[in-house]
Amino acid sequence: MARASGGRWGQHEGDSFTLAYAHSLSHRLPLLYMVVAFNALLVALRFRSEVPLWLTLFGPIVLGSFALWRAYYWRPGGVAARSLIVLRRDLRMMSWLGAVAGFMFALWGMVLYPFGDAAQQSFIHYIIAVTLFSGILGLGHSPLTALRIAIAITIPTTAQIVFSGHPNAIPVMLVQVVVTTILLLIANGHHRDFVRLELSRQQLVRREREAAQLAEENLLQATIDPLTGALNRRAILARLEQELARTSAGTDDPDSTAWLALIDLDGFKHVNDTYGHAAGDTVLAAVAHRLSTFARIRSFGRLGGDEFAAILDPDLDEDGVRALATELSESLRAPVLHAGAILRLSGSVGVHRMDGRSASDCLERADAALYKAKEQSDGAVIVFSPEDEAELQARAAVTRLFNDSDLADRLRLLYQPIIDGETGGVTGFEAFVRWSPDGERWLAPGQFMALAEATGRTGELTRMVMTRALRECRAWEYGRTLSINLAPRDVMRAGTADALARLAEEAGAPPSSIILEVTERALIADPRRAEAQLQTFRAKGFRIALDDFGAGWSSLSQVHRLPLDMIKIDQELSRALVSDPGARTLVGTIISLSWQLGIDCTIEGVEDEAQAETARALGIRLMQGYHFGRPEPAETALAAITAAPGNQAVTLRA
């Protein structure tokens, strides 16, 4: 906070006031000193013939030279180049130098005064008054200097005038004193106004600075991801839009457009689950730092979670961008240190050249490439190709058909028998759903379940399959079971167990005759919640089978924690049974585990008698596959119960 020095006549202290005083005076003092020099010259010329030459020249040479030097010293350019320390010294010296200069000018005039006649003496009165009044008015921003100059000039001139015998001495003295006093009061008032204005300006500057700082902080919050220091989702998408706009406004050459790369960290969930979220944050910050070291990455940002987007140099050709993306992926393999732990992971990369489409189209294509990269292996790099474009368009068309279709008209169910390998009798059926985009082609779940998930229709699909299967294939009336597959989202969705129990009750089907098959993929995201959900299904009376066992993430030691009634061995192991000793060993271990847990074990995908014999030799009783029967309509499947040997009802383990 600025404060005054020298009472009510002094200048305010503070860096801002020092600069303000110096700036203002630099535009005033040179003119005032020029007035002094000019007035000294006029006086010398007026008295050149009445006084000694040395006395005449004292004013223009000594006082004039001093005034010209000070005028040059206070020029705006020179003042602007000086430091605050020098300016403070100059302001302090100015007050005393001004008073001394004023006194010397007045003293010189009073020395000349007796040599002149009445007209010349009046001229001196006039010159001194003009000089004094000009100085006071010009020094309104330094009233203490104006006061000292007024005192320094008024005292000698008043004394001289009073004792000179001039006929107008008293009126002249009174005019000079009164006008000087009034002008000093006016100058001091101007100074107070200047101080208030400067304080207001400083406050405005502070507010502008605070507003600018706040705007900068808001800009950072709006554009920067606080965790990594990279651009956030909004900012990197804005950069993407800018890049597309730049391309649209420029050349139509497709090779001049930038590349969009999406990076997804492989193993990030494991780091979070094993070492905690702080470790995950460390990894994300390390990834952002590594991305910043690549010169050919124009900009990059975090889209969310463990996914990053980067805009790559348009000068790269396809081979160059693949090499850069590979180098980028390899850099992510370097270990990250956190709290003494060594964290290891990799990054899959999908790349697409931005060819004038919208930002969402570019993201969709880069994401399709990323999805394919993650399917290949950890750390893979895929550049979106024309073949990928054709596949994307075909998938988009099918997705639109699925989203708009009436599932009741486009679904059909087929039923494959599950066989007792010892007697050849049918123990139950598994329902397989088929969907047709055009009424002619029928797609298996592997070809359209992703569409159901993308369009949010998995719940509708599951309820429709359950309803139709219970209506078409009333296997429980023959003492058999009916197996129905659940989508991963349905396993995790609250209320699924209640909805399916109502459907079974409406169909008159005992829940114990219905086996709900879940894949290991349904258990990955949240194993604890999945276990609780399976317990809910069991509480409703349904039986639970773990499908495709041996192809997913589960270890044998994890199975005992799940509320299962059956394990279904994946068909890949079934195909390898005859030729691969390792597969036989693994299947034998699975069978032994199921016996110890008291649950059934079914092997899927049995396609010939050699596989069936090997499975029997390993102790597998329940089998399923083309060797025993293909999926058929309900009427055909149920008719096979009486046609197959060992057609008596088979009781599964409770």
Side-chain angles (χ1 to χ4, degrees):
M1 182 69 181
R3 60 185 180 87
S5 175
R8 59 180 297 190
W9 292 89
Q11 294 177 329
H12 273 60
E13 295 181 353
D15 293 347
S16 296
F17 268 99
T18 297
L19 293 173
Y21 283 130
H23 174 75
S24 177
L25 290 171
S26 70
H27 292 82
R28 296 165 180 262
L29 285 180
L31 297 176
L32 294 179
Y33 279 117
M34 292 296 292
V35 168
V36 171
F38 181 69
N39 288 348
L41 179 62
L42 289 179
V43 171
L45 291 174
R46 189 73 175 81
F47 281 83
R48 66 184 182 278
S49 59
E50 282 77 15
V51 298
L53 181 62
W54 67 269
L55 187 58
T56 304
L57 296 179
F58 175 82
I61 293 178
V62 177
L63 295 178
S65 297
F66 173 80
L68 292 176
W69 167 62
R70 295 304 293 174
Y72 178 79
Y73 184 83
W74 276 97
R75 72 193 189 281
V79 171
R82 291 177 198 140
S83 67
L84 279 169
I85 296 176
V86 174
L87 291 176
R88 291 192 192 98
R89 182 202 64 192
D90 290 344
L91 291 175
R92 287 193 300 269
M93 292 179 59
M94 175 192 67
S95 181
W96 292 109
L97 284 176
V100 171
F103 179 77
M104 294 301 295
F105 185 84
L107 183 62
W108 177 60
M110 293 302 99
V111 171
L112 295 177
Y113 191 85
F115 292 95
D117 55 20
Q120 289 173 319
Q121 290 176 347
S122 297
F123 181 75
I124 288 180
H125 294 163
Y126 174 77
I127 289 296
I128 289 177
V130 168
T131 304
L132 174 59
F133 298 159
S134 298
I136 293 174
L137 292 177
L139 291 169
H141 293 169
S142 182
L144 183 61
T145 303
L147 178 63
R148 287 172 177 170
I149 291 175
I151 294 172
I153 292 177
T154 301
I155 289 176
T157 57
T158 300
Q160 179 67 24
I161 291 172
V162 169
F163 296 106
S164 65
H166 191 281
N168 296 322
I170 299 301
V172 169
M173 180 195 69
L174 290 176
V175 169
Q176 180 173 312
V177 171
V178 171
V179 172
T180 298
T181 302
I182 293 173
L183 291 179
L184 284 172
L185 294 175
I186 293 173
N188 199 20
H190 287 168
H191 178 248
R192 289 195 299 271
D193 293 340
F194 171 78
V195 170
R196 284 193 292 268
L197 182 63
E198 178 61 21
L199 288 173
S200 298
R201 188 195 68 80
Q202 291 178 19
Q203 187 178 30
L204 179 61
V205 169
R206 282 195 299 272
R207 289 178 178 175
E208 289 177 346
R209 186 165 54 245
E210 291 170 357
Q213 183 177 356
L214 181 61
E216 182 178 358
E217 292 174 355
N218 290 337
L219 179 63
L220 288 176
Q221 291 178 358
T223 60
I224 301 300
D225 174 45
L227 179 60
T228 63
L231 296 176
N232 60 17
R233 180 182 181 85
R234 177 187 298 177
I236 190 61
L237 292 182
R239 292 286 178 88
L240 182 56
E241 294 283 4
Q242 292 170 7
E243 188 64 37
L244 290 172
R246 183 195 65 81
T247 302
S248 300
T251 176
D252 292 332
D253 181 6
D255 293 335
S256 68
T257 57
W259 299 83
L260 172 63
L262 295 185
I263 305 109
D264 188 83
L265 303 182
D266 308 312
F268 182 75
K269 184 178 185 303
H270 169 74
V271 169
N272 257 345
D273 293 345
T274 305
Y275 299 98
H277 290 288
D281 294 346
T282 301
V283 167
L284 294 174
V287 169
H289 174 72
R290 292 173 190 178
L291 290 176
S292 68
T293 63
F294 285 84
R296 307 204 76 168
I297 294 181
R298 282 189 167 188
S299 57
F300 67 92
R302 181 181 173 216
L303 291 178
D306 61 338
E307 189 173 17
F308 289 80
I311 299 176
L312 310 182
D313 195 331
D315 294 335
L316 294 166
D317 58 14
E318 185 170 333
D319 291 337
V321 81
R322 182 176 282 106
L324 175 63
T326 301
E327 183 182 356
L328 191 158
S329 178
E330 287 300 319
S331 74
L332 300 181
R333 294 184 183 275
V336 177
L337 300 180
H338 173 76
I342 300 177
L343 312 177
R344 301 181 186 276
L345 68 168
S346 59
S348 299
V349 184
V351 186
H352 166 62
R353 186 185 278 278
M354 299 185 293
D355 52 4
R357 296 185 179 92
S358 66
S360 60
D361 285 342
C362 293
L363 286 168
E364 182 181 14
R365 282 153 179 79
D367 191 60
L370 175 62
Y371 183 81
K372 184 176 288 189
K374 292 184 73 67
E375 282 186 329
Q376 288 193 1
S377 63
D378 291 346
V381 172
I382 293 294
V383 179
F384 193 80
S385 66
E387 293 77 16
D388 294 323
E389 178 67 28
E391 181 181 336
L392 180 66
Q393 293 297 337
R395 186 166 61 249
V398 173
T399 301
R400 287 192 294 271
L401 285 172
F402 187 90
N403 186 60
D404 299 337
S405 70
D406 183 352
L407 292 183
D409 295 335
R410 294 296 178 88
L411 290 181
R412 74 175 182 180
L413 298 182
L414 302 175
Y415 304 88
Q416 185 177 46
I418 300 171
I419 304 299
D420 186 324
E422 297 175 356
T423 66
V426 177
T427 67
F429 300 92
E430 180 178 354
F432 291 99
V433 63
R434 300 289 185 264
W435 174 76
S436 175
D438 52 15
E440 296 180 1
R441 294 178 298 138
W442 293 93
L443 306 181
Q447 299 171 288
F448 70 83
M449 278 306 298
L451 304 181
E453 293 181 357
T455 56
R457 303 188 74 179
T458 55
E460 178 187 0
L461 180 62
T462 296
R463 292 190 298 272
M464 190 167 292
V465 168
M466 182 84 165
T467 301
R468 186 171 295 184
L470 293 177
R471 184 178 70 245
E472 292 179 351
C473 186
R474 302 177 68 83
W476 61 90
E477 295 179 353
Y478 299 85
R480 270 66 174 180
T481 61
L482 178 61
S483 297
I484 297 175
N485 291 278
L486 293 185
R489 290 187 180 180
D490 290 322
V491 175
M492 303 300 291
R493 184 181 291 115
T496 301
D498 292 331
L500 298 186
R502 283 195 300 271
L503 294 177
E505 182 180 2
E506 291 170 1
S512 60
S513 66
I514 299 174
I515 300 176
L516 301 178
E517 297 191 9
V518 299
T519 62
E520 294 177 291
R521 190 164 72 91
L523 313 178
I524 294 176
D526 191 345
R528 291 186 178 180
R529 177 172 172 77
E531 181 181 349
Q533 286 290 93
L534 295 184
Q535 291 285 11
T536 304
F537 288 120
R538 286 283 296 275
K540 296 294 182 182
F542 295 110
R543 307 186 70 176
I544 307 297
L546 182 59
D547 199 12
D548 299 332
F549 187 74
W553 63 275
S554 294
S555 68
L556 296 177
S557 62
Q558 292 173 314
V559 175
H560 75 278
R561 296 200 299 267
L562 300 174
L564 300 176
D565 298 283
M566 179 183 294
I567 293 174
K568 300 191 74 172
I569 300 173
D570 184 64
Q571 57 185 342
E572 293 297 328
L573 288 175
S574 176
R575 295 189 184 101
L577 272 183
V578 177
S579 59
D580 187 352
R584 290 194 294 273
T585 300
L586 179 56
V587 170
T589 304
I590 295 173
I591 295 168
S592 176
L593 175 64
S594 67
W595 286 347
Q596 294 175 23
L597 296 177
I599 61 178
D600 283 302
C601 183
T602 301
I603 188 166
E604 301 177 293
V606 178
E607 297 182 352
D608 55 44
E609 183 59 28
Q611 293 175 4
E613 282 298 329
T614 305
R616 291 189 192 99
L618 290 171
I620 297 178
R621 184 168 67 94
L622 301 177
M623 303 180 191
Q624 182 179 351
Y626 285 178
H627 180 59
F628 303 105
R630 292 177 176 271
E632 300 285 355
E635 298 82 359
T636 306
L638 291 173
I641 294 178
T642 57
N647 57 5
Q648 69 277 11
V650 180
T651 302
L652 302 181
R653 291 189 181 93

